[in-house]
């Protein structure tokens, strides 16, 4: 039975990833900051018994990462889904005229920008490095970085939401940079986008729900081949331009 490690597993896309991989007979290590306060995740674990392993991990907390790596140092991870992330700005503020966001970067909240980079960029990159020894034991290891369609430089020409968009664009660059190193270890890495999805982060007006996004991504991830490592895919399987 293959093993998947999923961050941000307590809600939204992360919770749906846990459900889909458990349904498909994977061992799921479901990581979040407070797993025993995550009611929906606890219920999902009870539905699948020992197939789901709850793991306390704040991806920005080195102590949590070290504790996991020590406990599971001899285990194998076949798939790492770096799903955890934040969107600290007012959602939808790309249309700053209607949302009230000042597009002038002189007036932007740079503390918010730094925190967004810490969570969305630095933490998943570091975690990937720490879990690489476990991934190397797999015969078909893959790393997934949860990106966004608005991280595409070619497709984006909107002021506002500077922190979120640049954090995801930078994460895409990590896929291209770290990917070259992981390739030498026979580990594939991909950036993926769930599209605009109805979640706490995506808001209620998105065109599709977490189930649609994750079931599409499950297919994309399953079909992604090592020869295509370093690519950027939408949940419907289409490649997204960088």
């Amino acid at each position: 039975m293959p093993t998947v490690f999923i961050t941000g597993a307590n809600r939204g896309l992360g919770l749906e990833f846990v459900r889909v991989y458990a349904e498909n007979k994977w061992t799921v290590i479901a990581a979040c900051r407070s797993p025993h306060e995550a009611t929906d995740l606890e219920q999902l674990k009870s539905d699948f018994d020992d197939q789901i392993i709850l793991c306390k991990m704040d991806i920005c907390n080195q102590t949590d990462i070290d504790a996991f790596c020590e406990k599971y140092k001899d285990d194998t991870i076949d798939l790492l889904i770096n799903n955890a992330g934040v969107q600290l700005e007012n959602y939808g503020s790309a249309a700053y005229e209607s949302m009230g966001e000042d597009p002038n970067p002189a007036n932007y909240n740079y503390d918010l920008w730094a925190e967004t980079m810490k969570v969305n960029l630095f933490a998943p990159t570091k975690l990937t490095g720490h879990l690489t020894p476990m991934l190397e034991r797999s015969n078909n290891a893959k790393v997934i970085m949860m990106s966004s369609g608005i991280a595409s430089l070619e497709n984006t020409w909107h002021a506002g939401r500077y922190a979120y968009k640049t954090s995801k664009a930078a994460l895409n660059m990590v896929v291209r940079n770290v990917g070259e190193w992981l390739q030498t270890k026979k580990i594939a890495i991909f950036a993926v986008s769930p599209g605009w999805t109805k979640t706490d982060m995506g808001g209620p007006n998105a065109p599709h729900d977490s189930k649609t996004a994750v079931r599409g991504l499950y297919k994309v991830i399953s079909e992604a081949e090592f020869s295509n490592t370093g690519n950027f895919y939408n949940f419907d399987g289409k490649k997204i331009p960088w």
Side-chain angles (χ1 to χ4, degrees):
M1 186 180 291
T3 298
V4 56
F5 185 99
I6 302 168
T7 64
N10 58 308
R11 62 176 182 159
L13 294 170
L15 185 66
E16 193 61 33
F17 270 123
V18 173
R19 186 190 316 278
V20 168
Y21 277 94
E23 288 174 349
N24 282 276
K25 310 303 181 185
W26 286 61
T27 296
V28 181
I29 303 174
C32 63
R33 288 178 294 180
S34 302
H36 297 295
E37 295 178 8
T39 305
D40 292 339
L41 183 57
E42 286 271 17
Q43 180 58 54
L44 200 54
K45 175 173 171 53
S46 69
D47 293 342
F48 289 92
D49 198 24
D50 294 336
Q51 200 174 326
I52 297 175
I53 301 167
L54 301 187
C55 171
K56 179 188 179 303
M57 182 180 288
D58 178 342
I59 61 171
C60 294
N61 187 318
Q62 188 63 48
T63 300
D64 285 355
I65 295 173
D66 290 342
F68 175 83
C69 291
E70 177 60 29
K71 183 175 181 179
Y72 295 97
K73 61 184 177 182
D74 296 323
D75 288 22
T76 298
I77 294 176
D78 299 281
L79 174 62
L80 167 60
I81 300 179
N82 283 302
N83 168 72
V86 295
Q87 210 290 74
L88 300 176
E89 300 141 315
N90 183 18
Y91 184 76
S93 58
Y96 61 86
E97 298 90 345
S98 61
M99 298 300 293
E101 179 181 333
D102 184 348
N104 184 346
N107 302 322
Y108 197 78
N109 184 336
Y110 283 84
D111 289 336
L112 178 150
W113 198 336
E115 181 63 21
T116 302
M117 285 292 190
K118 177 182 176 182
V119 178
N120 289 356
L121 174 63
F122 303 150
T125 303
K126 179 186 282 189
L127 180 62
T128 298
H130 280 283
L131 298 189
T132 292
M134 301 172 204
L135 289 159
E136 283 187 278
R137 297 191 185 100
S138 172
N139 293 323
N140 187 31
K142 297 175 184 177
V143 174
I144 301 300
M145 294 295 198
M146 189 61 64
S147 186
S148 169
I150 61 173
S152 169
L153 301 184
E154 183 173 326
N155 289 343
T156 301
W157 189 251
H158 301 107
R161 293 180 70 193
Y162 299 129
Y164 184 75
K165 289 189 284 189
T166 57
S167 72
K168 293 299 186 179
L171 190 65
N172 285 355
M173 180 57 80
V174 166
V175 170
R176 300 296 295 173
N177 285 177
V178 175
E180 190 271 341
W181 175 69
L182 290 175
Q183 188 177 37
T184 67
K185 299 178 178 297
K186 306 301 181 184
I187 300 170
I189 185 169
F190 305 95
V192 301
S193 169
W196 186 16
T197 307
K198 289 186 180 76
T199 62
D200 290 346
M201 187 182 295
N205 299 321
H208 60 258
D209 58 16
S210 295
K211 182 176 180 179
T212 300
V214 170
R215 303 214 172 240
L217 287 172
Y218 176 82
K219 184 174 186 293
V220 169
I221 294 167
S222 298
E223 295 178 354
E225 298 181 352
F226 181 76
S227 59
N228 293 321
T229 187
N231 282 323
F232 184 16
Y233 293 106
N234 197 39
F235 75 100
D236 58 6
K238 296 178 181 177
K239 285 183 67 175
I240 302 176
W242 296 112

